[in-house]
Each structure stands twice: as structure tokens, then as C-alpha cells.
DNA sequence: ACCAACATGTAAGAAGTTACATGATTTA
DNA sequence: TAAATCATGTAACTTCTTACATGTTGGT
């Protein structure tokens, strides 16, 4: 599948970046649908370079600190463009909370409700955070840039969290009556 | 995290099962939130037995076919009951489609719309399948058994797919105007 | 001077996928 | 008698996490 590969290539298509900057982008822009630790990113960049998908030059920050600035090659671009139109089957995300809920008849009603209410609190907190972020996207008109994709992703994340919260509230309601 | 472990222990708490039956349960009951191939289940059962969480007896089907029927031990039950009330941080599911969409400004409008419309078709198909399954749960009253958890999980799955579809439709609409 | 952020890597192990490998039983 | 399902495993590999390991730079 090599999805991490394409996440990295997609980022490098925007601009040249170091491994550290890529790591930062994962935390900022991709966090609602992908993530990777630096311990996965650095070896992947090494592999990508060996495969001829990326190249790098070394830049110096300050006096001695070396930074490897990666760029995507023609070969990398071709590979990325083949991947992005690929038609893949959808897969259901794993969900540890749902796993717990499925087996929650092993708990008494009180503990079962606590389990769900705790989960609800967390998702409500996340939803509020996402809604605050959404305020940045007031006047979006340009549909051809990465900012618009950001906007659609965030909208999807808000909808996803709203639904998760509604579902949990419905579960609580059903157990209470 | 050992989530597969607890998925298996949870199933064995209901009734004694063979690896093959556990595999079948993953496909039938747990499919909306967890899954594992038999190549992961068999070694995990072996490990669980070594750890004293499960035991097995060998049964013969037909003339010679051996079946290992696993049961959960007291130690396994204790461990499971500690896990189910554990308070874990929520994590965002990875989503390859969202990854593609995020980078879809690299496609022209026509291909971008095709990408989203294909995804919509798949999620609509899945939603219809889930709604058909929901018809089985007409008169649910008993809130203390595993069937009720099944019902809540399925409700959550329907809501999740409905929202995914709404989001995709909204994306299409925004790109078309 | 200290701390947060910048910067890059490796090692060990857990989790998950794909393929290899085999054979029995049931149903059409 | 052929195909689907039952039944159990291993091997090689990819993916991902946690921990180890080190050092620089910029701001207060």
C-alpha cells in the first residue's frame, strides 16, 4: 500500500521540505486523517531516496546544524499521480471504544454509563477544538489550492465528531430508559 | 495495547470457541470496529495459552479433523475486566481517501469529481447493506445482553456511513459551484 | 543559563498483511 | 465429484510504536 510514501510525496509536491518539516506537517495539516512518528518518517525518506523518488541537499542552519532538504523527482511525481487516482476498496476503521462497548454487558449499568460518558466528554472536547479551527476558514473561494482541501477535510472532521457525539448521546439515552 | 487479545478474551467470555469460530465472529459481529486474519488469530491464541489467559481441549469433528476449543481462565477474566474500564485517549482513524482528497488539487476538476463520486458510490452501497441488517433489530428491549450491544454498534455504523455520504455530497456540491 | 523547538537518526519489538502449506467435511 | 466451508498452522515482510541516543539554535 505504501500510504506513508504517498503522504510524503504529496507534501513534497507542494514544496521542498526536511524530515522535521514533514513531521510538523503531519501534526498540523494531516492530523485528521494520517500520522507518523519521526522514527517512521526518516527511514522512509531514506528509502524513497534510494528508490529515486526523492533527492536531497544539505543546508546549514546557524553555524553547524545540518538539515536535509528533500525534493520530489520526476519519477516520484509520476508514481504519485498514478496513486492518487487509484480506486481502492473502502475499509472500516478500527475503534477501541466500540470494542469495549460491544463487550460492556460485562459491566453493571453504572460503569457502562461511565464508560460512554467519558468517551462523550473527549469527543465533545475535540469537536470544540475543531470548530474553533474552522473559524479561520471564513471566506473560501479558490477551489484549486491546498487550502480548499484543508477546508473540506476540516468540515469532514467536524461532521465525523458531531456524529460520534450524537451516537454516544443516543447510547446513553437508551441505557437510561 | 494488545487489543486483539481483549477482542479474543471478550468473545471467549461469551462461549468457548475454536480459532476458526473466532475468525468467523470477527467477520460477522466485530467487522464494524475490529478485524484480524486467521494468521494473526492462531498465534495470538497460542500466546494467550502460554500466558495462562486461555486453555483449550481438542475435539474431533467427523473422523479425524481436530478442533481446538478454547476457554478463558480466571486470570484471563480478571485481565479483561481491568481492560474494559480503562480510560484511553481517543485517536483519529487513518483514512486513505481523505489523504487522496487532501492532495487532489493535483488533479483537474473532472478527475477530482470522479474520485469523490466513486467514493460516494462505495459508501452508499455500504450504507444500504447496513440499513438492511438493521431490519433484524425491530423489537429490542433487553439492555443487558450482547444483542443490545450489537444493535448500538450497528446504529453507530449507520450514522457513521450516513455522515460520510453527506460529507462527500457536500464536497461534490462545493466543487461544482 | 535555561528551555522550547529544531534536527536526525537507530534498535527492538508489536501489530498486521500476504503468501505458503496442508488436509477434512459437508453440501449441491 | 466438485466446490464451499471447516480447520490449523508458519514464513516473510511491511507497518507502526516505544525507547534509546545525540546535539544545535533561538528566545527569555
Amino acid at each position: 500500500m505504501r500510504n506513508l510514501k504517498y503522504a510524503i510525496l504529496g507534501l513534497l509536491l507542494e514544496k521542498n521540505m526536511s524530515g522535521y518539516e514533514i513531521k510538523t506537517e503531519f501534526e498540523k495539516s494531516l492530523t485528521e486523517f494520517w500520522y507518523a512518528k519521526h522514527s517512521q518518517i526518516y527511514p522512509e525518506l531514506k528509502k524513497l531516496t534510494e528508490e529515486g523518488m526523492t533527492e536531497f541537499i544539505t543546508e546549514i542552519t546557524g553555524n553547524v546544524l545540518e538539515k536535509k532538504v528533500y525534493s520530489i523527482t520526476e519519477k516520484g511525481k509520476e508514481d504519485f499521480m498514478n496513486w492518487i487516482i487509484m480506486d481502492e476498496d473502502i475499509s472500516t476503521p478500527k475503534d477501541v471504544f466500540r470494542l469495549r462497548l460491544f463487550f460492556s454487558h460485562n459491566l453493571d449499568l453504572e460503569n457502562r454509563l461511565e464508560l460512554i460518558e467519558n468517551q462523550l466528554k473527549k469527543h465533545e472536547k475535540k469537536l470544540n477544538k475543531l470548530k474553533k479551527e474552522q473559524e479561520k476558514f471564513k471566506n473560501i473561494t479558490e477551489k484549486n489550492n491546498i487550502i480548499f482541501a484543508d477546508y473540506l477535510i476540516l468540515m469532514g472532521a467536524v461532521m465525523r465528531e458531531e456524529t460520534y457525539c450524537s451516537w454516544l448521546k443516543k447510547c446513553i439515552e437508551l441505557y437510561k430508559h
Side-chain angles (χ1 to χ4, degrees), chain A:
Chain A
M1 299 164 290
R2 302 288 304 274
N3 289 315
L4 176 60
K5 168 183 170 178
Y6 296 107
I8 291 173
L9 291 181
L11 286 171
L12 292 179
L13 219 47
E14 300 314 310
K15 72 187 211 0
N16 299 346
M17 281 185 227
S18 66
Y20 191 85
E21 279 177 278
I22 289 169
K23 189 208 99 188
T24 310
E25 278 307 305
F26 271 100
E27 288 160 2
K28 283 195 323 193
S29 313
L30 281 72
T31 191
E32 286 310 317
F33 54 90
W34 212 266
Y35 46 86
K37 309 276 167 75
H38 76 277
S39 56
Q40 210 186 347
I41 294 168
Y42 290 120
E44 187 65 33
L45 281 166
K46 198 181 168 186
K47 195 179 175 189
L48 251 23
T49 303
E50 279 160 13
E51 291 169 340
M53 301 290 171
T54 56
E55 299 170 331
F56 70 89
I57 53 160
T58 305
E59 277 185 9
I60 306 290
T61 308
N63 294 310
V64 287
L65 189 62
E66 289 191 357
K67 184 163 80 165
K68 287 182 181 171
V69 181
Y70 287 86
S71 55
I72 188 167
T73 62
E74 266 315 309
K75 193 180 169 195
K77 277 179 203 176
E78 259 175 57
D79 201 7
F80 178 87
M81 292 309 288
N82 285 329
W83 167 79
I84 198 168
I85 51 161
M86 254 172 52
D87 192 47
E88 213 177 342
D89 275 346
I90 59 175
S91 72
T92 310
K94 288 187 178 178
D95 183 334
V96 187
F97 171 75
R98 278 170 155 100
L99 184 60
R100 284 183 224 269
L101 181 73
F102 184 72
F103 292 125
S104 67
H105 57 278
N106 293 295
L107 297 172
D108 56 33
L109 186 61
E110 198 194 336
N111 281 305
R112 210 181 305 167
L113 283 169
E114 204 192 309
L115 178 76
I116 307 172
E117 274 158 2
N118 274 340
Q119 188 73 1
L120 177 58
K121 264 175 221 155
K122 283 171 194 163
H123 281 279
E124 278 175 337
K125 199 176 157 187
K126 178 157 183 202
L127 177 57
N128 285 330
K129 206 195 77 191
L130 290 170
K131 277 184 172 169
K132 242 165 238 165
E133 272 182 68
Q134 238 180 355
E135 285 165 28
K136 293 176 211 157
F137 297 91
K138 285 289 176 195
N139 320 75
I140 300 292
T141 45
E142 182 56 76
K143 276 149 190 148
N144 257 73
N145 61 30
I146 198 157
I147 307 294
F148 191 68
D150 262 321
Y151 166 74
L152 294 180
I153 290 293
L154 188 52
M155 180 174 75
V158 167
M159 290 171 76
R160 178 167 66 185
E161 287 304 321
E162 276 172 344
T163 301
Y164 211 110
C165 290
S166 305
W167 172 58
L168 292 171
K169 281 177 191 163
K170 188 96 183 151
C171 290
I172 292 166
E173 198 193 296
L174 285 168
Y175 273 126
K176 279 195 174 162
H177 303 293

